[in-house]
Amino acid sequence: RTRKVNICNFSSVESMDASRRAPGAVVQSPPVKMLSSQLREGQTSLGPTGKLVCTVKRQRCGAAAAPLEVSLVWMQGTVVEVKGDDSTTVLLLDETGTFSVTGVDHIPKGSPCLSQGKYVMVMGTVQSCTPEPVLRAVKMADLSGNPTHRKGWKLEVIDLQQTLP
């Protein structure tokens, strides 16, 4: 059984039951909505493919809830600082703390998001969890035009994490 999931037009992700997957095939999971505090408090390890994986507690799911293992995340925050001569790194602030995003100069349409005070979303691979989360950008978009994005973000994160298996 194959299921296509469209993650806000970022990409179409294929997933299959293990019984129908080719031996050794790796299925790319969609990004998990995350708060910086979750990554900061997470534990890092290397996953089966050699990628860094951060094991985090789910938001408001209770102690019995299984932790999430993430390597690709979707985060949102306000631009606090742009670092580097060629604007390669940006420091963002969400409701729970700061996190850094590298490689912004290599993503399409990343530069327009690099103004202090803009509210942006970033999808990226986890490079580090502690002491401060660091992502390598895959996609970045300016969400400043609609205040609903900021107001509802934490609730979106909680809702998604409560419904994930």
Side-chain angles (χ1 to χ4, degrees):
R1 174 172 61 150
T2 302
R3 186 180 89 203
K4 273 196 170 184
V5 180
N6 193 338
I7 308 298
C8 279
N9 298 324
F10 297 129
S11 65
S12 201
V13 180
E14 296 269 347
S15 66
M16 292 184 201
D17 290 340
S19 63
R20 298 203 36 188
R21 200 175 310 139
V26 177
V27 176
Q28 176 68 41
S29 297
V32 177
K33 294 176 181 180
M34 190 71 41
L35 298 173
S36 65
S37 62
Q38 290 179 274
L39 289 179
R40 195 173 297 104
E41 296 164 5
Q43 301 293 318
T44 58
S45 62
L46 288 180
T49 62
K51 281 186 182 179
L52 182 80
V53 173
C54 189
T55 304
V56 300
K57 292 180 184 175
R58 295 172 190 251
Q59 281 289 297
R60 296 193 184 166
C61 290
L68 292 170
E69 290 186 345
V70 297
S71 59
L72 182 65
V73 296
W74 172 349
M75 297 175 72
Q76 293 180 188
T78 303
V79 176
V80 175
E81 182 182 359
V82 180
K83 303 175 187 177
D85 293 337
D86 49 0
S87 302
T88 58
T89 303
V90 62
L91 182 67
L92 299 178
L93 174 69
D94 70 8
E95 297 177 44
T96 63
T98 59
F99 61 100
S100 294
V101 180
T102 65
V104 176
D105 57 324
H106 294 294
I107 57 170
K109 300 181 184 177
S111 296
C113 298
L114 300 180
S115 297
Q116 191 172 2
K118 285 200 176 199
Y119 187 74
V120 300
M121 69 74 59
V122 62
M123 183 173 76
T125 57
V126 178
Q127 303 296 298
S128 173
C129 293
T130 58
E132 179 180 77
V134 178
L135 308 180
R136 176 125 184 109
V138 174
K139 170 140 179 112
M140 195 168 194
D142 183 3
L143 302 178
S144 301
N146 186 344
T148 305
H149 291 297
R150 184 188 316 244
K151 291 177 186 174
W153 178 242
K154 190 169 184 178
L155 294 175
E156 281 187 50
V157 172
I158 292 167
D159 183 55
L160 173 76
Q161 291 183 13
Q162 288 177 343
T163 60
L164 287 175

